[in-house]
């Protein structure tokens, strides 16, 4: 069972930046598609960004140009760099993973991913 541990959440003013990190418990990292989802209270989780083992990425329209997902196989981590934050980015952010299934574009579908972290809270004040 793969466990994912997120870190880096916090509070920031609008226009500021935060960096989230996700560390899997096992070094199967290179074989996994990794992603970030966020969840608003009372809402279903929505995909934010994903990266597959061959380095291709996908972003939700709402974060394109502001967020960057990257992976460091040597450090076994995946990072979400969030810039120009807005109050509507306030949510619980979860890391997710699934064994790479092939394909060029990593999915942002909630049901695609098998492993989830507990989440880290991001709060953006206006």
């Amino acid at each position: 069972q793969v466990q994912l541990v997120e870190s880096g959440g916090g509070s920031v003013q609008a226009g500021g930046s935060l960096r989230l990190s996700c560390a899997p418990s096992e070094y199967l990292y290179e074989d996994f598609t990794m992603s970030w989802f966020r969840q608003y209270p009372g809402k279903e989780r929505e995909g934010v960004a994903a990266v597959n083992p061959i380095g291709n990425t996908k972003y939700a329209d709402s974060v394109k140009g502001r967020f960057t997902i990257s992976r460091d196989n040597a450090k076994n981590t995946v990072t979400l760099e969030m810039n120009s934050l807005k109050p509507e980015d306030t949510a619980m952010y979860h890391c997710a993973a699934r064994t790479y299934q092939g394909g060029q574009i990593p999915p942002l579908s909630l049901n695609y991913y098998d492993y989830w972290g507990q989440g880290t809270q991001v709060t953006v004040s206006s």
Side-chain angles (χ1 to χ4, degrees), residues 63-79:
V63 306
K64 282 180 181 177
R66 300 188 299 122
F67 291 10
T68 302
I69 189 170
S70 60
R71 61 195 299 157
D72 186 332
N73 290 344
K75 295 181 179 179
N76 203 35
T77 59
V78 61
T79 298

Side-chain angles (χ1 to χ4, degrees), residues 33-94:
T33 294
M34 306 295 295
S35 63
W36 287 94
F37 282 70
R38 63 187 178 188
Q39 188 168 23
Y40 301 108
K43 301 291 187 181
E44 188 175 78
R45 291 178 190 178
E46 63 179 37
V48 175
V51 58
N52 62 19
I54 60 176
N56 291 339
T57 58
K58 184 174 182 178
Y59 295 92
D61 288 342
S62 58
V63 306
K64 282 180 181 177
R66 300 188 299 122
F67 291 10
T68 302
I69 189 170
S70 60
R71 61 195 299 157
D72 186 332
N73 290 344
K75 295 181 179 179
N76 203 35
T77 59
V78 61
T79 298
L80 184 68
E81 191 79 38
M82 304 186 296
N83 298 314
S84 302
L85 282 162
K86 305 175 181 179
E88 52 263 44
D89 294 319
T90 295
M92 183 71 75
Y93 283 71
H94 296 267

